[in-house]
mmCIF file of all heavy atoms in Angstrom:
data_model
loop_
_atom_site.group_PDB
_atom_site.id
_atom_site.type_symbol
_atom_site.label_atom_id
_atom_site.label_comp_id
_atom_site.label_asym_id
_atom_site.label_seq_id
_atom_site.Cartn_x
_atom_site.Cartn_y
_atom_site.Cartn_z
ATOM 1 N N CYS A 1226 -8.373 6.034 -4.782
ATOM 2 C CA CYS A 1226 -8.723 4.721 -5.320
ATOM 3 C C CYS A 1226 -9.633 3.988 -4.255
ATOM 4 O O CYS A 1226 -10.678 3.465 -4.598
ATOM 5 C CB CYS A 1226 -7.588 3.855 -5.704
ATOM 6 S SG CYS A 1226 -6.698 4.354 -7.141
ATOM 7 N N TYR A 1227 -9.156 3.950 -2.999
ATOM 8 C CA TYR A 1227 -9.895 3.204 -2.040
ATOM 9 C C TYR A 1227 -11.151 3.985 -1.569
ATOM 10 O O TYR A 1227 -12.163 3.393 -1.104
ATOM 11 C CB TYR A 1227 -8.970 2.904 -0.810
ATOM 12 C CG TYR A 1227 -7.881 1.923 -1.186
ATOM 13 C CD1 TYR A 1227 -6.590 2.329 -1.183
ATOM 14 C CD2 TYR A 1227 -8.222 0.599 -1.476
ATOM 15 C CE1 TYR A 1227 -5.531 1.449 -1.589
ATOM 16 C CE2 TYR A 1227 -7.163 -0.279 -1.776
ATOM 17 C CZ TYR A 1227 -5.817 0.150 -1.888
ATOM 18 O OH TYR A 1227 -4.850 -0.721 -2.251
ATOM 19 N N GLU A 1228 -11.080 5.379 -1.634
ATOM 20 C CA GLU A 1228 -12.271 6.086 -1.249
ATOM 21 C C GLU A 1228 -13.417 5.845 -2.222
ATOM 22 O O GLU A 1228 -14.601 5.933 -1.795
ATOM 23 C CB GLU A 1228 -11.922 7.598 -1.217
ATOM 24 C CG GLU A 1228 -11.008 7.972 -0.029
ATOM 25 C CD GLU A 1228 -10.493 9.391 -0.140
ATOM 26 O OE1 GLU A 1228 -10.795 10.042 -1.148
ATOM 27 O OE2 GLU A 1228 -9.679 9.775 0.722
ATOM 28 N N ARG A 1229 -13.110 5.554 -3.497
ATOM 29 C CA ARG A 1229 -14.170 5.254 -4.414
ATOM 30 C C ARG A 1229 -14.514 3.749 -4.399
ATOM 31 O O ARG A 1229 -15.110 3.251 -5.354
ATOM 32 C CB ARG A 1229 -13.765 5.773 -5.833
ATOM 33 C CG ARG A 1229 -12.614 5.101 -6.455
ATOM 34 C CD ARG A 1229 -12.471 5.542 -7.885
ATOM 35 N NE ARG A 1229 -11.352 4.879 -8.524
ATOM 36 C CZ ARG A 1229 -10.296 5.398 -8.991
ATOM 37 N NH1 ARG A 1229 -10.099 6.738 -8.822
ATOM 38 N NH2 ARG A 1229 -9.373 4.680 -9.571
ATOM 39 N N LEU A 1230 -14.049 3.072 -3.340
ATOM 40 C CA LEU A 1230 -14.386 1.630 -3.172
ATOM 41 C C LEU A 1230 -13.690 0.684 -4.015
ATOM 42 O O LEU A 1230 -14.207 -0.490 -4.117
ATOM 43 C CB LEU A 1230 -15.950 1.435 -3.224
ATOM 44 C CG LEU A 1230 -16.835 2.376 -2.333
ATOM 45 C CD1 LEU A 1230 -18.293 1.967 -2.448
ATOM 46 C CD2 LEU A 1230 -16.296 2.259 -0.907
ATOM 47 N N ASP A 1231 -12.568 1.073 -4.645
ATOM 48 C CA ASP A 1231 -11.701 0.041 -5.252
ATOM 49 C C ASP A 1231 -11.094 -0.782 -4.108
ATOM 50 O O ASP A 1231 -10.661 -0.179 -3.090
ATOM 51 C CB ASP A 1231 -10.622 0.744 -6.058
ATOM 52 C CG ASP A 1231 -11.188 1.518 -7.290
ATOM 53 O OD1 ASP A 1231 -12.384 1.204 -7.671
ATOM 54 O OD2 ASP A 1231 -10.485 2.409 -7.739
ATOM 55 N N ARG A 1232 -10.996 -2.039 -4.316
ATOM 56 C CA ARG A 1232 -10.509 -2.903 -3.207
ATOM 57 C C ARG A 1232 -9.149 -3.562 -3.577
ATOM 58 O O ARG A 1232 -8.394 -4.028 -2.721
ATOM 59 C CB ARG A 1232 -11.518 -3.971 -2.827
ATOM 60 C CG ARG A 1232 -12.802 -3.356 -2.123
ATOM 61 C CD ARG A 1232 -13.697 -4.433 -1.628
ATOM 62 N NE ARG A 1232 -12.949 -5.373 -0.764
ATOM 63 C CZ ARG A 1232 -12.984 -6.702 -0.897
ATOM 64 N NH1 ARG A 1232 -13.685 -7.208 -1.855
ATOM 65 N NH2 ARG A 1232 -12.242 -7.448 -0.116
ATOM 66 N N LEU A 1233 -8.815 -3.676 -4.836
ATOM 67 C CA LEU A 1233 -7.559 -4.267 -5.282
ATOM 68 C C LEU A 1233 -6.870 -3.274 -6.261
ATOM 69 O O LEU A 1233 -7.343 -3.061 -7.343
ATOM 70 C CB LEU A 1233 -7.843 -5.640 -5.968
ATOM 71 C CG LEU A 1233 -6.642 -6.201 -6.801
ATOM 72 C CD1 LEU A 1233 -5.467 -6.495 -5.806
ATOM 73 C CD2 LEU A 1233 -7.042 -7.428 -7.476
ATOM 74 N N VAL A 1234 -5.832 -2.745 -5.796
ATOM 75 C CA VAL A 1234 -5.083 -1.686 -6.549
ATOM 76 C C VAL A 1234 -3.700 -2.275 -6.813
ATOM 77 O O VAL A 1234 -3.000 -2.717 -5.886
ATOM 78 C CB VAL A 1234 -4.986 -0.308 -5.835
ATOM 79 C CG1 VAL A 1234 -4.193 0.646 -6.662
ATOM 80 C CG2 VAL A 1234 -6.336 0.179 -5.521
ATOM 81 N N THR A 1235 -3.247 -2.276 -8.089
ATOM 82 C CA THR A 1235 -1.904 -2.747 -8.370
ATOM 83 C C THR A 1235 -1.108 -1.549 -8.871
ATOM 84 O O THR A 1235 -1.406 -0.898 -9.860
ATOM 85 C CB THR A 1235 -1.987 -3.784 -9.511
ATOM 86 O OG1 THR A 1235 -2.677 -4.905 -9.060
ATOM 87 C CG2 THR A 1235 -0.562 -4.266 -9.891
ATOM 88 N N ILE A 1236 -0.047 -1.278 -8.125
ATOM 89 C CA ILE A 1236 0.950 -0.277 -8.559
ATOM 90 C C ILE A 1236 1.846 -0.973 -9.575
ATOM 91 O O ILE A 1236 2.643 -1.932 -9.208
ATOM 92 C CB ILE A 1236 1.747 0.228 -7.357
ATOM 93 C CG1 ILE A 1236 0.864 0.880 -6.299
ATOM 94 C CG2 ILE A 1236 2.781 1.304 -7.891
ATOM 95 C CD1 ILE A 1236 1.499 1.220 -5.047
ATOM 96 N N VAL A 1237 1.835 -0.523 -10.725
ATOM 97 C CA VAL A 1237 2.593 -1.236 -11.838
ATOM 98 C C VAL A 1237 3.571 -0.231 -12.382
ATOM 99 O O VAL A 1237 3.311 0.987 -12.611
ATOM 100 C CB VAL A 1237 1.609 -1.813 -12.909
ATOM 101 C CG1 VAL A 1237 0.894 -0.703 -13.659
ATOM 102 C CG2 VAL A 1237 2.412 -2.673 -13.889
ATOM 103 N N GLY A 1238 4.778 -0.850 -12.790
ATOM 104 C CA GLY A 1238 5.810 0.071 -13.426
ATOM 105 C C GLY A 1238 7.056 -0.670 -13.523
ATOM 106 O O GLY A 1238 7.208 -1.791 -12.932
ATOM 107 N N PRO A 1239 8.071 -0.193 -14.371
ATOM 108 C CA PRO A 1239 9.266 -0.914 -14.506
ATOM 109 C C PRO A 1239 10.166 -0.811 -13.262
ATOM 110 O O PRO A 1239 9.859 -0.103 -12.347
ATOM 111 C CB PRO A 1239 9.960 -0.052 -15.615
ATOM 112 C CG PRO A 1239 9.381 1.295 -15.516
ATOM 113 C CD PRO A 1239 7.909 1.086 -15.065
ATOM 114 N N PRO A 1240 11.216 -1.613 -13.212
ATOM 115 C CA PRO A 1240 12.105 -1.643 -12.036
ATOM 116 C C PRO A 1240 12.686 -0.294 -11.710
ATOM 117 O O PRO A 1240 12.982 0.539 -12.647
ATOM 118 C CB PRO A 1240 13.256 -2.574 -12.453
ATOM 119 C CG PRO A 1240 12.718 -3.407 -13.566
ATOM 120 C CD PRO A 1240 11.726 -2.557 -14.258
ATOM 121 N N GLY A 1241 12.757 0.034 -10.371
ATOM 122 C CA GLY A 1241 13.480 1.317 -9.991
ATOM 123 C C GLY A 1241 12.594 2.492 -9.849
ATOM 124 O O GLY A 1241 13.087 3.518 -9.426
ATOM 125 N N THR A 1242 11.300 2.425 -10.197
ATOM 126 C CA THR A 1242 10.412 3.564 -10.136
ATOM 127 C C THR A 1242 9.954 3.860 -8.719
ATOM 128 O O THR A 1242 9.436 4.948 -8.479
ATOM 129 C CB THR A 1242 9.233 3.374 -11.083
ATOM 130 O OG1 THR A 1242 8.655 2.097 -10.860
ATOM 131 C CG2 THR A 1242 9.634 3.513 -12.497
ATOM 132 N N GLY A 1243 10.124 2.864 -7.743
ATOM 133 C CA GLY A 1243 9.777 3.150 -6.407
ATOM 134 C C GLY A 1243 8.480 2.602 -5.998
ATOM 135 O O GLY A 1243 7.766 3.137 -5.110
ATOM 136 N N LYS A 1244 8.019 1.469 -6.655
ATOM 137 C CA LYS A 1244 6.700 0.863 -6.392
ATOM 138 C C LYS A 1244 6.588 0.453 -4.918
ATOM 139 O O LYS A 1244 5.615 0.754 -4.211
ATOM 140 C CB LYS A 1244 6.428 -0.257 -7.315
ATOM 141 C CG LYS A 1244 6.410 0.100 -8.770
ATOM 142 C CD LYS A 1244 6.161 -1.092 -9.689
ATOM 143 C CE LYS A 1244 7.151 -2.178 -9.673
ATOM 144 N NZ LYS A 1244 8.482 -1.753 -10.146
ATOM 145 N N SER A 1245 7.566 -0.286 -4.520
ATOM 146 C CA SER A 1245 7.638 -0.854 -3.175
ATOM 147 C C SER A 1245 7.622 0.229 -2.082
ATOM 148 O O SER A 1245 6.900 0.224 -1.110
ATOM 149 C CB SER A 1245 8.866 -1.809 -2.901
ATOM 150 O OG SER A 1245 8.782 -2.897 -3.780
ATOM 151 N N ARG A 1246 8.466 1.224 -2.334
ATOM 152 C CA ARG A 1246 8.567 2.317 -1.406
ATOM 153 C C ARG A 1246 7.295 3.122 -1.297
ATOM 154 O O ARG A 1246 6.909 3.556 -0.195
ATOM 155 C CB ARG A 1246 9.744 3.186 -1.791
ATOM 156 C CG ARG A 1246 10.080 4.175 -0.747
ATOM 157 C CD ARG A 1246 11.539 4.424 -0.555
ATOM 158 N NE ARG A 1246 11.829 5.183 0.665
ATOM 159 C CZ ARG A 1246 12.989 5.712 0.852
ATOM 160 N NH1 ARG A 1246 14.038 5.592 0.060
ATOM 161 N NH2 ARG A 1246 13.179 6.374 2.041
ATOM 162 N N LEU A 1247 6.646 3.350 -2.441
ATOM 163 C CA LEU A 1247 5.360 4.029 -2.425
ATOM 164 C C LEU A 1247 4.312 3.289 -1.569
ATOM 165 O O LEU A 1247 3.568 3.855 -0.831
ATOM 166 C CB LEU A 1247 4.841 4.290 -3.812
ATOM 167 C CG LEU A 1247 3.492 4.938 -3.972
ATOM 168 C CD1 LEU A 1247 3.402 6.299 -3.343
ATOM 169 C CD2 LEU A 1247 3.048 4.999 -5.406
ATOM 170 N N ALA A 1248 4.273 1.921 -1.842
ATOM 171 C CA ALA A 1248 3.269 1.141 -1.194
ATOM 172 C C ALA A 1248 3.600 1.101 0.338
ATOM 173 O O ALA A 1248 2.621 1.304 1.194
ATOM 174 C CB ALA A 1248 3.371 -0.339 -1.642
ATOM 175 N N ARG A 1249 4.852 1.074 0.766
ATOM 176 C CA ARG A 1249 5.201 1.096 2.166
ATOM 177 C C ARG A 1249 4.783 2.421 2.792
ATOM 178 O O ARG A 1249 4.181 2.526 3.891
ATOM 179 C CB ARG A 1249 6.694 0.895 2.346
ATOM 180 C CG ARG A 1249 7.144 -0.540 2.261
ATOM 181 C CD ARG A 1249 8.637 -0.640 2.553
ATOM 182 N NE ARG A 1249 9.084 -1.970 2.471
ATOM 183 C CZ ARG A 1249 9.092 -2.851 3.454
ATOM 184 N NH1 ARG A 1249 8.557 -2.537 4.628
ATOM 185 N NH2 ARG A 1249 9.546 -4.102 3.410
ATOM 186 N N HIS A 1250 5.053 3.555 2.106
ATOM 187 C CA HIS A 1250 4.811 4.851 2.611
ATOM 188 C C HIS A 1250 3.292 5.092 2.703
ATOM 189 O O HIS A 1250 2.784 5.626 3.714
ATOM 190 C CB HIS A 1250 5.419 5.894 1.727
ATOM 191 C CG HIS A 1250 5.677 7.213 2.498
ATOM 192 N ND1 HIS A 1250 6.678 7.305 3.465
ATOM 193 C CD2 HIS A 1250 5.111 8.384 2.459
ATOM 194 C CE1 HIS A 1250 6.661 8.528 3.969
ATOM 195 N NE2 HIS A 1250 5.748 9.193 3.350
ATOM 196 N N TYR A 1251 2.538 4.700 1.678
ATOM 197 C CA TYR A 1251 1.061 4.842 1.734
ATOM 198 C C TYR A 1251 0.543 3.990 2.882
ATOM 199 O O TYR A 1251 -0.340 4.494 3.654
ATOM 200 C CB TYR A 1251 0.492 4.364 0.455
ATOM 201 C CG TYR A 1251 -1.109 4.275 0.516
ATOM 202 C CD1 TYR A 1251 -1.833 5.451 0.500
ATOM 203 C CD2 TYR A 1251 -1.704 3.017 0.732
ATOM 204 C CE1 TYR A 1251 -3.160 5.352 0.689
ATOM 205 C CE2 TYR A 1251 -3.081 3.005 0.872
ATOM 206 C CZ TYR A 1251 -3.852 4.189 0.899
ATOM 207 O OH TYR A 1251 -5.212 4.078 1.038
ATOM 208 N N ALA A 1252 1.001 2.737 3.049
ATOM 209 C CA ALA A 1252 0.532 1.988 4.172
ATOM 210 C C ALA A 1252 0.811 2.554 5.514
ATOM 211 O O ALA A 1252 0.010 2.500 6.463
ATOM 212 C CB ALA A 1252 1.085 0.541 4.060
ATOM 213 N N HIS A 1253 1.994 3.189 5.641
ATOM 214 C CA HIS A 1253 2.397 3.800 6.916
ATOM 215 C C HIS A 1253 1.449 4.951 7.235
ATOM 216 O O HIS A 1253 1.005 5.140 8.347
ATOM 217 C CB HIS A 1253 3.821 4.244 6.813
ATOM 218 C CG HIS A 1253 4.331 4.992 8.028
ATOM 219 N ND1 HIS A 1253 4.633 4.387 9.176
ATOM 220 C CD2 HIS A 1253 4.577 6.347 8.160
ATOM 221 C CE1 HIS A 1253 5.001 5.288 10.065
ATOM 222 N NE2 HIS A 1253 5.074 6.521 9.508
ATOM 223 N N ILE A 1254 1.257 5.812 6.216
ATOM 224 C CA ILE A 1254 0.351 6.989 6.393
ATOM 225 C C ILE A 1254 -1.064 6.491 6.716
ATOM 226 O O ILE A 1254 -1.692 7.077 7.682
ATOM 227 C CB ILE A 1254 0.335 7.849 5.111
ATOM 228 C CG1 ILE A 1254 1.659 8.535 4.947
ATOM 229 C CG2 ILE A 1254 -0.793 8.908 5.250
ATOM 230 C CD1 ILE A 1254 1.772 9.266 3.659
ATOM 231 N N ARG A 1255 -1.570 5.520 5.968
ATOM 232 C CA ARG A 1255 -2.927 5.079 6.241
ATOM 233 C C ARG A 1255 -3.062 4.450 7.713
ATOM 234 O O ARG A 1255 -4.044 4.656 8.382
ATOM 235 C CB ARG A 1255 -3.264 3.915 5.237
ATOM 236 C CG ARG A 1255 -4.614 3.333 5.440
ATOM 237 C CD ARG A 1255 -4.873 2.320 4.264
ATOM 238 N NE ARG A 1255 -6.114 1.501 4.568
ATOM 239 C CZ ARG A 1255 -7.075 1.327 3.685
ATOM 240 N NH1 ARG A 1255 -6.930 1.840 2.456
ATOM 241 N NH2 ARG A 1255 -8.031 0.555 3.994
ATOM 242 N N ALA A 1256 -2.052 3.709 8.143
ATOM 243 C CA ALA A 1256 -2.098 3.128 9.514
ATOM 244 C C ALA A 1256 -2.111 4.199 10.558
ATOM 245 O O ALA A 1256 -2.752 3.980 11.626
ATOM 246 C CB ALA A 1256 -0.877 2.246 9.669
ATOM 247 N N LYS A 1257 -1.515 5.353 10.356
ATOM 248 C CA LYS A 1257 -1.485 6.388 11.292
ATOM 249 C C LYS A 1257 -2.813 7.151 11.317
ATOM 250 O O LYS A 1257 -3.173 7.732 12.360
ATOM 251 C CB LYS A 1257 -0.337 7.439 10.980
ATOM 252 C CG LYS A 1257 0.993 6.870 11.239
ATOM 253 C CD LYS A 1257 2.039 7.992 11.436
ATOM 254 C CE LYS A 1257 2.124 8.944 10.231
ATOM 255 N NZ LYS A 1257 3.169 9.974 10.377
ATOM 256 N N ARG A 1258 -3.572 7.112 10.257
ATOM 257 C CA ARG A 1258 -4.744 7.872 10.157
ATOM 258 C C ARG A 1258 -6.067 7.105 10.407
ATOM 259 O O ARG A 1258 -7.080 7.608 10.672
ATOM 260 C CB ARG A 1258 -4.968 8.461 8.713
ATOM 261 C CG ARG A 1258 -3.844 9.542 8.387
ATOM 262 C CD ARG A 1258 -4.071 10.034 6.963
ATOM 263 N NE ARG A 1258 -3.037 11.096 6.712
ATOM 264 C CZ ARG A 1258 -2.879 11.651 5.502
ATOM 265 N NH1 ARG A 1258 -3.637 11.201 4.445
ATOM 266 N NH2 ARG A 1258 -2.010 12.584 5.272
ATOM 267 N N THR A 1259 -5.931 5.734 10.434
ATOM 268 C CA THR A 1259 -7.036 4.913 10.745
ATOM 269 C C THR A 1259 -6.715 3.925 11.771
ATOM 270 O O THR A 1259 -5.608 3.653 12.172
ATOM 271 C CB THR A 1259 -7.501 4.190 9.366
ATOM 272 O OG1 THR A 1259 -6.537 3.167 9.103
ATOM 273 C CG2 THR A 1259 -7.668 5.064 8.242
ATOM 274 N N ASP A 1260 -7.728 3.222 12.313
ATOM 275 C CA ASP A 1260 -7.540 2.174 13.259
ATOM 276 C C ASP A 1260 -7.351 0.779 12.611
ATOM 277 O O ASP A 1260 -7.021 -0.224 13.268
ATOM 278 C CB ASP A 1260 -8.767 2.035 14.163
ATOM 279 C CG ASP A 1260 -8.878 3.261 15.028
ATOM 280 O OD1 ASP A 1260 -7.893 3.850 15.359
ATOM 281 O OD2 ASP A 1260 -10.010 3.683 15.399
ATOM 282 N N ALA A 1261 -7.409 0.687 11.262
ATOM 283 C CA ALA A 1261 -7.365 -0.506 10.457
ATOM 284 C C ALA A 1261 -5.878 -1.048 10.531
ATOM 285 O O ALA A 1261 -4.974 -0.282 10.489
ATOM 286 C CB ALA A 1261 -7.839 -0.368 9.089
ATOM 287 N N GLN A 1262 -5.700 -2.385 10.672
ATOM 288 C CA GLN A 1262 -4.430 -2.990 10.714
ATOM 289 C C GLN A 1262 -3.885 -3.017 9.207
ATOM 290 O O GLN A 1262 -4.618 -2.943 8.264
ATOM 291 C CB GLN A 1262 -4.532 -4.462 11.191
ATOM 292 C CG GLN A 1262 -4.861 -4.465 12.720
ATOM 293 C CD GLN A 1262 -3.689 -3.965 13.583
ATOM 294 O OE1 GLN A 1262 -2.569 -4.366 13.392
ATOM 295 N NE2 GLN A 1262 -4.012 -3.028 14.484
ATOM 296 N N THR A 1263 -2.519 -3.081 9.143
ATOM 297 C CA THR A 1263 -1.902 -3.163 7.855
ATOM 298 C C THR A 1263 -0.856 -4.392 7.982
ATOM 299 O O THR A 1263 -0.196 -4.569 8.941
ATOM 300 C CB THR A 1263 -1.067 -1.879 7.559
ATOM 301 O OG1 THR A 1263 -1.933 -0.762 7.512
ATOM 302 C CG2 THR A 1263 -0.301 -2.017 6.200
ATOM 303 N N TYR A 1264 -0.915 -5.180 6.937
ATOM 304 C CA TYR A 1264 -0.073 -6.385 6.840
ATOM 305 C C TYR A 1264 0.790 -6.319 5.589
ATOM 306 O O TYR A 1264 0.246 -6.071 4.480
ATOM 307 C CB TYR A 1264 -0.927 -7.621 6.831
ATOM 308 C CG TYR A 1264 -1.664 -7.810 8.171
ATOM 309 C CD1 TYR A 1264 -2.951 -7.232 8.319
ATOM 310 C CD2 TYR A 1264 -1.144 -8.495 9.210
ATOM 311 C CE1 TYR A 1264 -3.583 -7.377 9.545
ATOM 312 C CE2 TYR A 1264 -1.770 -8.585 10.496
ATOM 313 C CZ TYR A 1264 -3.035 -7.997 10.572
ATOM 314 O OH TYR A 1264 -3.759 -8.131 11.828
ATOM 315 N N PHE A 1265 2.030 -6.555 5.640
ATOM 316 C CA PHE A 1265 2.956 -6.407 4.503
ATOM 317 C C PHE A 1265 3.547 -7.759 4.192
ATOM 318 O O PHE A 1265 4.175 -8.415 5.035
ATOM 319 C CB PHE A 1265 4.111 -5.479 4.866
ATOM 320 C CG PHE A 1265 4.899 -4.974 3.582
ATOM 321 C CD1 PHE A 1265 4.507 -3.945 2.808
ATOM 322 C CD2 PHE A 1265 6.079 -5.820 3.232
ATOM 323 C CE1 PHE A 1265 5.325 -3.588 1.767
ATOM 324 C CE2 PHE A 1265 6.839 -5.445 2.191
ATOM 325 C CZ PHE A 1265 6.424 -4.380 1.400
ATOM 326 N N PHE A 1266 3.339 -8.307 3.002
ATOM 327 C CA PHE A 1266 3.818 -9.538 2.517
ATOM 328 C C PHE A 1266 4.888 -9.346 1.405
ATOM 329 O O PHE A 1266 4.565 -8.980 0.312
ATOM 330 C CB PHE A 1266 2.684 -10.416 1.949
ATOM 331 C CG PHE A 1266 1.421 -10.541 2.886
ATOM 332 C CD1 PHE A 1266 0.231 -9.887 2.603
ATOM 333 C CD2 PHE A 1266 1.539 -11.233 4.010
ATOM 334 C CE1 PHE A 1266 -0.793 -10.004 3.411
ATOM 335 C CE2 PHE A 1266 0.459 -11.382 4.928
ATOM 336 C CZ PHE A 1266 -0.659 -10.692 4.595
ATOM 337 N N ASP A 1267 6.126 -9.599 1.772
ATOM 338 C CA ASP A 1267 7.221 -9.437 0.885
ATOM 339 C C ASP A 1267 7.431 -10.739 0.104
ATOM 340 O O ASP A 1267 7.831 -11.730 0.617
ATOM 341 C CB ASP A 1267 8.509 -9.150 1.723
ATOM 342 C CG ASP A 1267 9.682 -8.807 0.798
ATOM 343 O OD1 ASP A 1267 9.551 -8.884 -0.445
ATOM 344 O OD2 ASP A 1267 10.744 -8.517 1.387
ATOM 345 N N LEU A 1268 7.208 -10.654 -1.262
ATOM 346 C CA LEU A 1268 7.252 -11.801 -2.083
ATOM 347 C C LEU A 1268 8.502 -11.817 -2.931
ATOM 348 O O LEU A 1268 8.553 -12.440 -4.018
ATOM 349 C CB LEU A 1268 6.037 -11.814 -3.012
ATOM 350 C CG LEU A 1268 4.675 -11.717 -2.341
ATOM 351 C CD1 LEU A 1268 3.527 -11.870 -3.270
ATOM 352 C CD2 LEU A 1268 4.557 -12.964 -1.286
ATOM 353 N N THR A 1269 9.519 -11.089 -2.498
ATOM 354 C CA THR A 1269 10.809 -11.000 -3.240
ATOM 355 C C THR A 1269 11.317 -12.351 -3.589
ATOM 356 O O THR A 1269 11.799 -12.599 -4.679
ATOM 357 C CB THR A 1269 11.827 -10.138 -2.434
ATOM 358 O OG1 THR A 1269 11.391 -8.860 -2.187
ATOM 359 C CG2 THR A 1269 13.194 -10.084 -3.244
ATOM 360 N N ASP A 1270 11.378 -13.277 -2.612
ATOM 361 C CA ASP A 1270 11.903 -14.602 -2.799
ATOM 362 C C ASP A 1270 10.774 -15.649 -3.141
ATOM 363 O O ASP A 1270 11.166 -16.851 -3.257
ATOM 364 C CB ASP A 1270 12.593 -15.061 -1.525
ATOM 365 C CG ASP A 1270 13.776 -14.150 -1.197
ATOM 366 O OD1 ASP A 1270 14.457 -13.669 -2.143
ATOM 367 O OD2 ASP A 1270 13.973 -13.865 0.038
#
């Protein structure tokens, strides 16, 4: 998605499918492969 220059991607799905965990894992992998910073905003509350 980001390689084709999409800049806003929404992972959507019902509760329990692992959206948050997928986002964290993708961000972790991306941070290891690039010099770009990653910022995580938890909006649970």
Side-chain angles (χ1 to χ4, degrees):
C1226 287
Y1227 293 111
E1228 287 170 3
R1229 65 174 183 245
L1230 303 183
D1231 297 338
R1232 293 186 53 233
L1233 169 59
V1234 179
T1235 300
I1236 303 173
V1237 64
T1242 48
K1244 301 181 296 295
S1245 297
R1246 189 145 193 190
L1247 174 63
R1249 283 183 179 274
H1250 204 72
Y1251 171 75
H1253 178 72
I1254 291 174
R1255 178 178 171 132
K1257 290 201 302 184
R1258 293 178 178 174
T1259 71
D1260 294 329
Q1262 291 291 307
T1263 301
Y1264 298 87
F1265 191 89
F1266 307 110
D1267 184 357
L1268 305 180
T1269 302
D1270 297 323

